[in-house]
Structure formats: structure tokens, C-alpha cells
Amino acid sequence: MKVIVAITGASGSIYARLTIEALLRAPEVEQIALVFSDTAREVVAFEGVDIPQDERIKIYDNHDLFAPVASGSASYDAMVVVPSSVGTLGRIAHGLSQSLIERAADVMLKERRRLLLVVREAPYSLIHLRNMTTLTEAGAIIIPASPSFYSHPTTIEEACRTVVERVIAHIGIRQPHYEWKGE
């Protein structure tokens, strides 16, 4: 499986780190294409998050529209924008492919492949909600960065992991995770 991970300048870099760590644990993931938006690296550094490095991760410049992820023929299986700013979400919803992140997301939609956006914003405006609706109607999956508390997380990382577990499941990867049993 080949997965694209796009990190935008939205707060919540921990979600990106945890997502990449989970993908690296999955034996079926053979390649991760990693793209940072222009401000993502600054936010990652400001939040003190270390993004994993591994030989399966290939980093592409967000301005390189000749990168493999810009073409449907590269056959990536899934893409997750984590965290996704509402600006990136809006540009993707309206087909404005001015960066590699936006173009790769456009490719995922046109090829009918999995596109997930982990939106990190609160509250949502009507424009945000309409853009989410547009993307959902186009086949994307919107996953708000809203942790669950059924598993009684005791750290921020444990709470964030509840979101990442859903991301990984929606990509189509099976990994151990908390399951609600109504108890």
C-alpha cells in the first residue's frame, strides 16, 4: 500500500506524528509520500513535534507539481491530510490545485481513491461546513480532530490516538484499537 500524508499549518502536529507512526507499524504500508505545506514545518517546530523518519518515507516539496503524487498513474492507495487547515480543505473542495497537496488531493478524488481530511478547527463556519459537504459528496472522508473519551485516555497523546485509530481504520488498515462495547 502506498499512502500520501500531507501536513498543513493547522495546529495539531501530534496527529500527523501519530498517523505516520501508525502507518509505519503497518506491514502493508510499503511507501509514504510526505508533503508539508508552506507553514507546516513552522507549526510542527513550534508545537515541539518530531515527525518520524524512515526509509519508507519520501518527502516531496509542496511546490513540485512534477512529483509522482500529482499523477493518478502513480497509483497511491490513500491520502490523509493531517491536520488539515480549513484553508486547504476549501481549496481542495473547489478544485484549486495550486500546490502539491491540493493537486494530490484532486487526483485522489478524480481517481476515486481514499482521501481523508483530519480537520483541526473550531468552531466551523457555514463556509467550512459547506466545503466539508462538497468534499463528502465528492467521496472524501472528513474526520474532525475530535478525540473520544470512551477509552478513558489519561494523556493528550492517548486522546489524540483515538482520532488516529479512526484515520488508520478508514484508510483500510487493521491495527489494534479501542472498541466500544457499551460497558
Side-chain angles (χ1 to χ4, degrees), residues 108-142:
M108 299 308 285
L109 291 173
K110 79 178 185 72
E111 298 293 334
R112 306 294 192 263
R113 296 185 186 138
R114 292 177 196 233
L115 172 62
L116 295 83
L117 291 95
V118 181
V119 182
R120 227 304 303 139
E121 186 65 72
Y124 298 134
S125 75
L126 181 58
I127 293 168
H128 303 152
L129 294 168
R130 286 186 175 151
N131 287 338
M132 287 183 214
T133 299
T134 297
L135 283 171
T136 301
E137 290 171 344
I141 299 170
I142 306 297

Side-chain angles (χ1 to χ4, degrees), residues 60-82:
Y60 294 98
D61 185 278
N62 196 33
H63 300 285
D64 182 5
L65 295 179
F66 286 95
V69 298
S71 174
S73 66
S75 300
Y76 280 84
D77 300 292
M79 176 177 181
V80 57
V81 184
V82 56

Side-chain angles (χ1 to χ4, degrees), residues 8 14 20 23 35 49-50 74 89 97 126 131 134-135 162-163 166 170 176 178:
T8 74
I14 188 172
I20 293 168
L23 289 171
V35 185
V49 173
D50 292 321
L89 179 139
S97 298
L126 181 58
N131 287 338
T134 297
L135 283 171
T162 67
V163 173
R166 297 185 67 95
H170 278 84
Y178 175 80

Side-chain angles (χ1 to χ4, degrees), residues 3-5 20 23-24 29-34 56-58:
V3 180
I4 304 163
V5 175
I20 293 168
L23 289 171
L24 290 171
V29 175
E30 62 193 62
Q31 186 181 121
I32 299 170
L34 180 58
R56 290 179 284 167
I57 299 173
K58 171 81 169 131

Side-chain angles (χ1 to χ4, degrees), residues 31-45:
Q31 186 181 121
I32 299 170
L34 180 58
V35 185
F36 292 85
S37 75
D38 292 344
T39 57
R41 287 185 190 274
E42 293 174 53
V43 174
V44 168

